[in-house]
């Protein structure tokens, strides 16, 4: 197994970089095709959400794979490679498996324990299967990640440690008050009708918002969402996108999560809606810290990638004021991770600059889109409170971690070990099958030769001789093949397949043919599961 992941997330990059690097559906498909066309990659899958972009691939060369995947991410995201590189993290083999399983369990989410990531991982697998870019390794990996995520949620209380971004965002808007009390008597506008917007609308209805107004570019989808809300007992109606400005003057809360590449609500539009004007921006103090290099791509290990950079907006100044990262080599991964984790915690303590209106809040805004839907200049509109991905990241840094998180981490570690053992054992299976096929050919040849030398044998005798020879061969092969599968499942066991092929002089093409047949069967089976 040569699994490689190169990516960036809310833990390694500021929002300004993440939103510029976001990938449309077409861009994801093109990225997958171009990754397979690249020499080092045999399989590929892309996990793209509102706060992470990760490219997974089965590669034959590590350094060439890192360089190629990084270049492809830069090309398709539209962010230059030199600018993107300091924010990228890399995981390889077991570290890559550990990372994805942690992501699936919600351990790497902005709000720890949220379960929406499972649906996004399922979508990633489905796209890879649809485009035939996910082969046996990535099919097995993502299927297992889904199972690990479900196990974590069913066997632990990780759900108590976190919640959806929607719920967490609404709690931030409520500013410490119970969300049900905060929602009483309020009307809300939901912009968008996708999965996140639908979740937001349903959550608003559940906490007791008086009315939910849905606006979407495709009006039929807005009407469908409003109809579903009505069936669940929430007063709801749909409006065209052209009516958003008017509806802003009538509602108390607006939630936006669209796939738009530009702003949906500008600062001026919001100011007009609440009858205010934009305040002048506060002066920005010049940075007096020396600029040190960012974290080099290719050497962010599991700990470093988990919390490498999370300052959002002042990330460069804050990290560089602390000095450069430790030397980046394989022996310093854990040290680098500790440095990044401590820096992340210091930034989280120091960043408390999300503006809160001094007077009554006329309009509360929740922006869950990436790239952002709502202009950050809205912070300067009196009477308006904006909570977005950036401020959610800062608020979640101090969210209490449930004791169940440790149990989930233990589950992830166990599942990573089991997955690695299964992959190593599977690697030797084609060689064992080829060995048994060769033994069957030897038996058939010897039985045919015996028939030529003893033509007078009757059918019963011939059958008995044939079965006896087969039993002898099976007994001779049984113990070695069982033992070699056990040895192959252990770390460093990949070499046993080569030893077996050498000792028995197996035809490499026969082994390859078995592997191809096994891959095709697995592909059909896994696509059926998905």
């Amino acid at each position: 197994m040569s699994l490689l992941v190169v990516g960036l997330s809310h833990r390694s990059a500021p929002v300004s970089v993440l939103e510029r690097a976001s990938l449309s559906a077409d861009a994801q498909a093109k990225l997958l095709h171009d990754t397979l066309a690249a020499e080092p990659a045999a399989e590929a899958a892309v996990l793209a959400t509102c706060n992470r972009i990760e490219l997974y691939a089965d590669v034959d060369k590590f350094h060439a794979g890192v360089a190629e995947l990084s270049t492809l991410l830069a090309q398709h995201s539209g962010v230059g490679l030199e600018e993107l590189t300091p924010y990228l993290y890399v995981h390889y083999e077991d570290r890559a498996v550990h990372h994805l399983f942690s992501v699936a369990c919600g351990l790497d989410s902005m709000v720890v324990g949220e379960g929406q990531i499972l649906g996004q991982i399922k979508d990633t697998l489905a796209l890879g299967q649809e485009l035939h870019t996910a082969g046996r390794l990535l099919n097995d990996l993502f299927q297992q990640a889904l199972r690990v995520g479900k196990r974590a949620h069913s066997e632990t209380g990780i759900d108590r440690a976190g919640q959806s971004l929607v719920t967490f965002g609404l709690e931030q808007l409520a500013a410490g008050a119970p969300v049900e009390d905060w929602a009483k008597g309020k009307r809300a506008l939901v912009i968008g009708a996708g999965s996140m917007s639908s979740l937001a609308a349903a959550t608003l209805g559940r906490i007791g918002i008086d009315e939910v107004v849905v606006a979407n570019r495709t009006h039929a989808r807005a009407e469908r969402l409003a109809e579903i809300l009505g069936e669940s007992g929430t007063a709801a109606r749909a409006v065209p996108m052209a009516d958003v400005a008017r509806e802003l003057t009538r509602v108390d809360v607006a939630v936006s999560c669209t796939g738009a590449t530009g702003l949906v609500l500008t600062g001026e539009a919001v100011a007009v809606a609440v009858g205010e004007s934009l305040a002048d921006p506060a002066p920005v103090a010049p940075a007096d810290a020396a600029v040190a290099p960012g974290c080099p791509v290719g050497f962010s290990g599991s700990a470093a990638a988990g919390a490498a950079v999370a300052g959002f907006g002042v990330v460069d100044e804050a990290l560089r004021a602390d000095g450069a990262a430790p030397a980046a080599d394989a022996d310093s991964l854990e040290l680098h991770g500790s440095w990044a984790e401590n820096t992340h915690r210091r930034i989280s303590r120091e960043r408390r600059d999300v503006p809160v209106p001094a007077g009554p809040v006329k309009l509360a805004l929740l922006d869950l889109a990436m790239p952002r839907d709502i202009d950050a200049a809205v912070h300067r509109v009196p009477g308006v409170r904006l909570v977005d991905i950036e401020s959610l990241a800062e608020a979640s840094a101090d969210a209490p971690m449930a004791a169940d998180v440790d149990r989930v981490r233990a589950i992830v570690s166990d599942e990573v070990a089991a997955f690695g053992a299964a992959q190593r054992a599977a690697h030797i299976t084609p060689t064992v099958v080829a060995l048994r096929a060769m033994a069957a050919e030897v038996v058939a040849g010897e039985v045919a030769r015996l028939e030529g030398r003893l033509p007078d044998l009757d059918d019963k005798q011939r059958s008995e001789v044939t079965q006896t020879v087969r039993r002898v061969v099976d007994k001779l092969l049984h113990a070695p093949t069982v033992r070699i599968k056990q040895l192959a499942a252990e770390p460093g066991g990949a070499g046993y397949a080569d030893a077996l092929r050498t000792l028995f002089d197996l035809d490499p093409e026969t082994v390859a043919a078995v592997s191809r047949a096994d891959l095709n069967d697995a592909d059909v089976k896994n696509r059926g599961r998905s």
Side-chain angles (χ1 to χ4, degrees):
M1 177 180 64
S2 298
L3 177 66
L4 175 66
V5 56
V6 177
L8 67 161
S9 74
H10 65 100
R11 293 191 182 276
S12 72
V15 170
S16 58
V17 174
L18 274 174
E19 61 185 0
R20 289 170 52 210
S22 62
L23 297 173
S24 65
D26 290 342
Q28 291 178 42
K30 186 69 166 58
L31 173 59
L32 289 176
H33 286 307
D34 287 355
T35 302
L36 282 195
E39 184 177 343
E43 302 179 32
V46 59
L47 177 58
T49 72
C50 63
N51 51 30
R52 77 177 62 248
I53 303 167
E54 296 177 343
L55 182 56
Y56 291 76
D58 181 9
V59 299
D60 56 4
K61 299 174 182 177
F62 171 74
H63 292 290
V66 170
E68 190 65 39
L69 266 59
S70 302
T71 300
L72 287 169
L73 273 175
Q75 289 176 350
H76 289 274
S77 69
V79 179
L81 182 59
E82 289 186 1
E83 181 182 0
L84 191 65
T85 293
Y87 304 112
L88 293 176
Y89 48 77
V90 171
H91 300 296
Y92 190 57
E93 294 187 335
D94 284 352
R95 285 180 178 268
V97 178
H98 190 283
H99 174 71
L100 180 59
F101 287 3
S102 297
V103 169
C105 294
L107 292 180
D108 197 57
S109 295
M110 188 176 294
V111 179
V112 174
E114 61 91 11
Q116 296 173 44
I117 187 64
L118 285 174
Q120 294 161 334
I121 289 175
K122 185 177 180 180
D123 291 342
T124 294
L125 175 61
L127 179 62
Q129 291 173 343
E130 178 186 347
L131 300 179
H132 302 288
T133 63
R136 180 172 57 195
L137 173 60
L138 293 185
N139 268 300
D140 290 349
L141 174 69
F142 278 83
Q143 292 279 3
Q144 188 63 23
L146 290 170
R147 287 190 284 269
V148 173
K150 292 175 182 176
R151 179 188 169 191
H153 283 279
S154 64
E155 294 184 12
T156 75
I158 189 66
D159 290 330
R160 296 193 299 267
Q163 52 212 309
S164 74
L165 277 179
V166 173
T167 304
F168 192 60
L170 293 176
E171 287 184 352
Q172 297 307 302
L173 287 180
V179 288
E180 290 81 3
D181 295 342
W182 169 82
K184 287 180 181 178
K186 287 184 171 61
R187 302 170 68 206
L189 170 65
V190 174
I191 306 174
S195 58
M196 185 67 80
S197 298
S198 299
L199 177 61
T203 304
L204 287 166
R206 177 175 54 79
I207 65 174
I209 284 284
D210 279 7
E211 181 188 37
V212 176
V213 181
V214 182
N216 190 59
R217 182 173 58 84
T218 304
H219 190 57
R221 294 191 63 183
E223 289 180 324
R224 177 56 183 155
L225 178 53
E227 180 183 342
I228 293 172
L229 293 171
E231 292 172 354
S232 65
T234 300
R237 58 187 174 88
V239 299
M241 283 293 290
D243 290 349
V244 165
R246 184 179 64 186
E247 293 298 331
L248 277 179
T249 66
R250 302 175 174 178
V251 299
D252 308 284
V253 186
V255 180
S256 188
C257 186
T258 73
T261 55
L263 293 175
V264 174
L265 296 179
T266 65
E268 291 79 3
V270 172
V272 170
V274 296
E276 297 284 355
S277 58
L278 278 172
D280 292 332
V284 178
D288 56 2
V291 175
C295 174
V297 65
F299 300 97
S300 294
S302 295
V309 188
F312 294 102
V314 295
V315 59
D316 292 327
E317 291 79 8
L319 292 185
R320 291 164 181 164
D322 277 357
D329 55 49
D331 295 330
S332 66
L333 293 178
E334 296 306 322
L335 177 62
H336 177 82
S338 176
W339 168 85
E341 179 71 39
N342 291 334
T343 303
H344 163 65
R345 287 172 180 166
R346 185 186 62 74
I347 293 171
S348 298
R349 288 195 303 268
E350 294 177 356
R351 288 299 304 272
R352 292 295 182 271
D353 56 357
V354 179
V356 179
V361 176
K362 300 177 182 178
L363 181 62
L365 301 173
L366 177 59
D367 185 359
L368 299 173
M370 183 64 67
R372 71 186 75 198
D373 279 347
I374 303 176
D375 190 352
V378 165
H379 284 306
R380 308 202 314 267
V381 180
V384 174
R385 174 155 169 76
L386 169 64
V387 169
D388 54 18
I389 294 294
E390 185 173 352
S391 52
L392 283 175
E394 293 163 4
S396 66
D398 289 337
M401 301 288 285
D404 294 276
V405 169
D406 288 337
R407 293 181 57 201
V408 174
R409 287 174 176 155
I411 288 174
V412 168
S413 296
D414 291 345
E415 292 284 358
V416 169
F419 183 82
Q423 289 296 309
R424 289 187 290 270
H427 179 72
I428 204 169
T429 297
T431 303
V432 172
V433 172
L435 173 62
R436 289 192 171 275
M438 184 191 74
E441 290 179 1
V442 171
V443 169
E446 290 302 312
V447 169
R449 192 168 68 87
L450 182 64
E451 288 179 348
R453 297 179 62 180
L454 300 175
D456 296 333
L457 290 176
D458 58 32
D459 291 343
K460 182 177 180 181
Q461 292 171 327
R462 187 180 298 106
S463 175
E464 187 62 34
V465 170
T466 300
Q467 291 300 321
T468 297
V469 175
R470 286 176 177 168
R471 281 195 296 270
V472 170
V473 171
D474 287 343
K475 287 181 179 180
L476 286 174
L477 291 180
H478 176 71
T481 53
V482 169
R483 182 59 181 147
I484 204 166
K485 286 182 178 180
Q486 294 172 341
L487 293 171
E490 298 175 358
Y496 287 103
D498 295 332
L500 200 62
R501 287 192 293 269
T502 301
L503 287 172
F504 287 92
D505 194 23
L506 297 177
D507 181 9
E509 181 55 36
T510 302
V511 176
V514 174
S515 298
R516 287 193 297 269
D518 184 40
L519 176 60
N520 291 336
D521 290 344
D523 182 54
V524 171
K525 178 174 65 176
N526 285 323
R527 279 191 279 120
R529 285 177 182 170
S530 178

